[in-house]
Amino acid sequence: MEGYIILKNSKLKTFLNPLLSIILWIVSAFLINFIIESIARGGISNCYNFLTEKPIVFFYNSFFILLTLSITFLFKRRIFVGLFISLIWIILGISNGVILKFRGSPLTGTDFSLIKSGLSIIDNYFSTNQIIILILSIILLIGLLVLIFIYAPKSKIHNKVQYILDIVLVLSMLFAFTPFRNYMNASGNVSTVFWNINDAYTDYGFPYCLYLTTFTNGIEKPDNYGQATIDYIVADVDSSIETNTLLASSEHESLLVNNPNVLVVQLESFFDLTLVENLTFSQDPIPNFRHLMENYSSGFLGVSCIGGGTANTEFEVLTGMNIDFFSPSEFPYNTILHSKTAESIAYTLKEKDYSTAVFHNYSGLFYNRNVVFSHLGFDSFTPLEFMNNVETTPIGWPKDKILTNQITELMQSTDTRDFIFTVSVQGHGGYPTSNIIENPDIIIEGLSTEEQTAQYEYYAQQLFEMDQFVADLINAVNQLDEPTIIAFYGDHLPSLGLSNESVLNKNIFQTNYVIWDNLGLEKVDKDIETYQLSAVLLDKVNLNTGLIGRFHIIKEDEDSYLDELKLLQYDMLYGNQYQYLDASPYPVTNLQMGYKDITISDAYIEDNYLYVKGENFTPCGYIYINGSKIETEYIDENTLRSTNTNCKESDEITICFELGNTPVTKPDTPYIYK
């Protein structure tokens, strides 16, 4: 008893309190990590297996959580700060579980930059009741945190000595982390290279992977990077292309004397559903696409994502670059392409006097496409905001058939050959677990639950309609009587819980592609990677003039292929651009939003309405008077009106389309009210 009193009244207690706190936070970090991994892995038993099979990896992930908890030592309100940080981790873990369920891939750092875009489509994934419950839960959590902040006790041991000790403890953990991290990387327990994002999260744990995908981006500088290395690669490609037998024969040269239109169509979540084992179908979900695969060049397309990540498939096709060389889960659309241009199929064809355009039947703001496409060589970008009469699926995604007339109208409106890149959206998840389609065209048997059957049949219906869009587009293009080649492909598999074991090709990172043409080209079937598609496509018609495109054709079978491709990508985007003789030959384009000119022909007041008349209006256009937005009602593509009649002579009237923080004003010259 006497010893206890001495201890209680001595300075030794000052030093023991932080030690007890550290033990408490270590236990808390361990428990939080266990909860997070249990959610991610679908149960406590799976998390326990991870803990026992890879204890050092589990502890390493707990260390990440512990580092964040350690800052509580610097606050008097330790309980509040500790609970707040713990709650953030739990919310991240729950979010990861939800995203895994709906998208099939985990939460990454890149997702934080897409929060605003994600909120705009939340009603496609959750019912109204679920959204209300989510909002109420957030309000409840905020209220609980406020109560904890008010009533939780403060630390009473915060004299000068205690603060110094606390700071020393926090810094000690930070310093201890560096050698621990180096050991984990050097020993191979974790890796900074994610060839498969889902497998990486499974092998290395959620906190570590979230950290890596949040705080790293770009391409790591290759050890042998330098001007001599780049000059060697460029010279090798240039010398090889002169004698390479892959150059078009004289027969093809005469056939392609006028160059064909080049179309690339990326189909959302499209793949051959009959590849799923043990399923039977009332009819083929993709009869038109299958006919194309049987008669034109086709094969499997190796993609980098599943269930989501559309923009990275898009990036690989347009640039010929391998996304695997970038940091884990990085979207170049959200990082480097905001400040740099890059060689692309669009820039390559612009050198041949092609017009270049993009169509996407969803918001132009998604993945920053309204900015990025000007860095990839496009003249115009037509997103959903500039489309009329759009029909939607039962869960609200625009159907792809709207794109057929858009594409052919643009082709007819230009005097040059066209390169048109199209990104569809109809096949997007999440897929409802109840039957919401009356009399579906595809009935599926072989699934274990009614919920699964509903999901698959909904997806199959969208697949069937997308397949019809493919056929309709080919028929419409054929009627133009212009030489044309079109690549169709799926960007990734749908988020239907598929695994390598559940598909006949044993690879859930393969979709299907086909290259149709009306040129009489030879059918050549081949499985390729996404970053090779544009090179294969352009090589068929002797238009493969870009360095990276030519590199793929010449170097594909060489052992140094991927190493040299990484060097070219690094040099172009992050290095000194040695591959160019002078500056980059790819200037930022003046991207026109919407391929149609939007005009105002008249404005007048009638029956207490301000009417604005013109051409090519859409429901996403708003009337602006002298730069100020007014309430607007869409009547038809020639008429907008407003109850705001405060318009006087010489006022300037424009129509503005709002893409996030980027208002797009049409026409360029305001209409002067008379």
Side-chain angles (χ1 to χ4, degrees):
M1 185 67 181
E2 182 180 351
Y4 171 76
I5 294 172
I6 294 172
L7 174 63
K8 183 178 179 182
N9 296 322
S10 71
K11 292 184 178 180
L12 184 59
K13 183 181 178 185
T14 301
F15 293 94
L16 287 178
N17 269 281
L19 179 61
L20 294 173
S21 296
I22 290 173
I23 294 173
L24 173 63
W25 295 135
I26 289 174
V27 173
S28 298
F30 183 93
L31 291 175
I32 292 169
N33 192 32
F34 196 89
I35 293 170
I36 288 172
E37 293 296 344
S38 296
I39 294 171
R41 297 167 193 274
I44 293 175
S45 60
N46 292 333
C47 179
Y48 178 77
N49 292 336
F50 174 52
L51 170 60
T52 55
E53 291 171 6
K54 297 184 176 182
I56 192 168
V57 176
F58 187 93
F59 181 71
Y60 185 50
N61 280 274
S62 299
F63 204 131
F64 275 93
I65 299 173
L66 179 61
L67 284 176
T68 62
L69 289 173
S70 69
I71 67 171
T72 60
F73 299 145
L74 306 179
F75 293 87
K76 288 186 177 182
R77 296 182 180 274
R78 291 184 177 182
I79 294 177
F80 170 77
V81 175
L83 287 174
F84 182 74
I85 295 172
S86 300
L87 183 61
I88 290 175
W89 277 110
I90 298 298
I91 291 173
L92 288 172
I94 294 172
S95 300
N96 181 51
V98 171
I99 290 174
L100 273 170
K101 177 182 178 181
F102 285 103
R103 189 174 68 187
S105 59
L107 174 71
T108 68
T110 304
D111 291 316
F112 298 130
S113 66
L114 301 175
I115 289 176
K116 185 175 181 180
S117 297
L119 290 175
S120 69
I121 59 172
I122 191 172
D123 56 341
N124 292 110
Y125 291 91
F126 297 99
S127 67
T128 301
N129 288 338
Q130 288 173 324
I131 294 173
I132 292 173
I133 292 172
L134 178 62
I135 294 172
L136 291 176
S137 299
I138 293 172
I139 294 172
L140 181 62
L141 283 174
I142 293 173
L144 183 61
L145 285 172
V146 171
L147 290 175
I148 292 172
F149 180 82
I150 295 172
Y151 294 107
K154 299 179 183 179
S155 173
K156 296 180 180 179
I157 308 176
H158 265 272
N159 54 44
K160 185 177 181 180
V161 174
Q162 181 75 36
Y163 268 126
I164 292 174
L165 184 58
D166 287 342
I167 293 172
V168 169
L169 287 171
V170 173
L171 291 177
S172 297
M173 279 190 277
L174 289 174
F175 288 138
F177 175 72
T178 300
F180 191 14
R181 180 188 61 193
N182 293 339
Y183 166 76
M184 292 297 289
N185 290 330
S187 64
N189 284 296
V190 296
S191 174
T192 57
V193 178
F194 293 1
W195 298 110
N196 180 318
I197 194 74
N198 291 60
D199 289 347
Y201 271 66
T202 300
D203 293 338
Y204 310 140
F206 173 75
Y208 167 73
C209 291
L210 184 65
Y211 155 77
L212 201 65
T213 59
T214 301
F215 296 105
T216 61
N217 58 63
I219 301 174
E220 185 178 0
K221 183 179 179 180
D223 292 336
N224 59 337
Y225 174 70
Q227 183 165 0
T229 309
I230 299 299
D231 288 347
Y232 169 80
I233 297 171
V234 174
D236 195 23
V237 171
D238 288 342
S239 62
S240 299
I241 203 72
E242 293 176 1
T243 58
N244 195 276
T245 56
L246 291 173
L247 285 173
S249 65
S250 58
E251 177 184 355
H252 277 186
E253 287 178 353
S254 62
L255 178 67
L256 305 175
V257 65
N258 293 320
N259 293 336
N261 298 305
V262 178
L263 277 61
V264 176
V265 181
Q266 179 169 289
L267 300 165
E268 171 64 43
S269 301
F270 188 98
F271 92 116
D272 183 357
L273 191 57
T274 65
L275 290 173
V276 179
E277 291 189 330
N278 303 319
L279 297 185
T280 57
F281 302 85
S282 58
Q283 62 172 308
D284 189 351
I286 55 168
N288 297 302
F289 201 91
R290 196 171 311 284
H291 173 77
L292 294 175
M293 290 192 292
E294 291 169 354
N295 292 277
Y296 296 90
S297 298
S298 62
F300 285 115
L301 184 71
V303 297
S304 63
C305 48
I306 180 171
T310 294
N312 278 350
T313 302
E314 196 173 307
F315 169 79
E316 288 193 304
V317 170
L318 288 172
T319 65
M321 296 188 193
N322 187 344
I323 199 68
D324 288 342
F325 299 142
F326 290 82
S327 293
S329 83
E330 179 176 357
F331 285 87
Y333 275 21
N334 294 335
T335 53
I336 188 64
L337 286 184
H338 263 262
S339 58
K340 285 282 185 73
T341 60
E343 179 183 311
S344 70
I345 187 173
Y347 278 121
T348 295
L349 291 176
K350 281 175 77 70
E351 294 174 357
K352 297 286 186 179
D353 296 323
Y354 276 65
S355 65
T356 58
V358 183
F359 289 95
H360 177 42
N361 53 332
Y362 204 65
S363 171
L365 187 65
F366 244 60
Y367 291 114
N368 300 300
R369 289 185 177 102
N370 57 314
V371 175
V372 168
F373 285 142
S374 66
H375 292 179
L376 290 174
F378 287 99
D379 299 323
S380 69
F381 173 34
T382 305
L384 182 68
E385 288 87 348
F386 293 85
M387 296 181 184
N388 274 312
N389 305 315
V390 179
E391 185 179 339
T392 62
T393 69
I395 63 171
W397 295 109
K399 292 191 174 184
D400 293 342
K401 62 183 180 180
I402 185 67
L403 297 166
T404 301
N405 286 338
Q406 301 272 328
I407 293 169
T408 53
E409 283 181 6
L410 174 62
M411 293 174 68
Q412 289 176 299
S413 70
T414 59
D415 297 327
T416 62
R417 290 293 187 228
D418 297 293
F419 168 58
I420 300 175
F421 184 69
T422 302
V423 183
S424 91
V425 77
Q426 181 169 350
H428 209 297
Y431 309 112
T433 56
S434 59
N435 296 317
I436 61 174
I437 298 177
E438 294 184 8
N439 303 316
D441 290 289
I442 311 295
I443 304 298
I444 303 177
E445 296 181 355
L447 292 157
S448 57
T449 66
E450 292 183 0
E451 289 77 10
Q452 271 192 317
T453 301
Q455 284 187 306
Y456 272 74
E457 288 188 349
Y458 173 88
Y459 170 72
Q461 182 65 37
Q462 308 317 312
L463 199 60
F464 187 72
E465 294 180 16
M466 293 165 71
D467 179 75
Q468 186 58 55
F469 157 66
V470 169
D472 290 343
L473 179 60
I474 288 175
N475 291 334
V477 168
N478 257 334
Q479 292 177 13
L480 300 179
D481 197 27
E482 294 183 11
T484 304
I485 186 169
I486 311 177
F488 297 95
Y489 64 92
D491 59 348
H492 52 68
L493 265 63
S495 52
L496 288 171
L498 297 169
S499 65
N500 289 336
E501 293 71 31
S502 64
V503 292
L504 295 174
N505 56 312
K506 303 304 177 186
N507 190 341
I508 57 174
F509 289 91
Q510 284 184 330
T511 62
N512 307 95
Y513 83 92
V514 66
I515 299 176
W516 171 88
D517 67 86
N518 57 11
L519 308 168
L521 299 179
E522 178 185 2
K523 174 179 171 62
V524 179
D525 291 343
K526 182 180 181 181
D527 295 345
I528 60 176
E529 298 298 321
T530 307
Y531 53 82
Q532 297 171 326
L533 179 60
S534 58
V536 170
L537 175 66
L538 293 188
D539 199 64
K540 281 181 169 291
V541 289
N542 197 24
L543 289 170
N544 204 4
T545 59
L547 174 60
I548 289 182
R550 289 180 291 136
F551 172 87
H552 285 305
I553 299 301
I554 298 301
K555 293 280 194 172
E556 177 187 2
D557 297 326
E558 296 187 10
D559 292 339
S560 60
Y561 174 50
L562 290 178
D563 290 335
E564 292 185 357
L565 177 58
K566 182 177 181 179
L567 281 160
L568 289 178
Q569 289 184 206
Y570 179 83
D571 181 60
M572 181 180 294
L573 295 178
Y574 301 97
N576 297 321
Q577 299 187 331
Y578 295 129
Q579 59 195 272
Y580 305 137
L581 293 177
D582 193 5
S584 169
Y586 306 119
V588 176
T589 58
N590 183 19
L591 187 68
Q592 175 182 328
M593 298 301 297
Y595 74 98
K596 293 181 179 180
D597 290 332
I598 295 172
T599 62
I600 300 175
S601 59
D602 195 10
Y604 56 88
I605 295 174
E606 182 178 288
D607 298 330
N608 295 320
Y609 284 102
L610 169 65
Y611 285 88
V612 176
K613 306 290 287 187
E615 292 184 341
N616 303 318
F617 299 159
T618 78
C620 293
Y622 296 90
I623 301 171
Y624 274 63
I625 299 178
N626 297 327
S628 297
K629 178 181 175 181
I630 65 172
E631 170 270 328
T632 303
E633 179 185 1
Y634 173 80
I635 304 300
D636 56 42
E637 63 182 85
N638 302 115
T639 310
L640 299 177
R641 75 178 184 182
S642 175
T643 55
N644 187 331
T645 58
N646 297 322
C647 194
K648 57 185 181 298
E649 188 173 347
S650 299
D651 280 350
E652 295 183 347
I653 299 177
T654 55
I655 309 298
C656 190
F657 298 78
E658 297 177 353
L659 301 179
N661 296 323
T662 307
V664 180
T665 302
K666 302 284 185 175
D668 295 333
T669 302
Y671 176 84
I672 306 301
Y673 185 75
K674 302 175 183 178

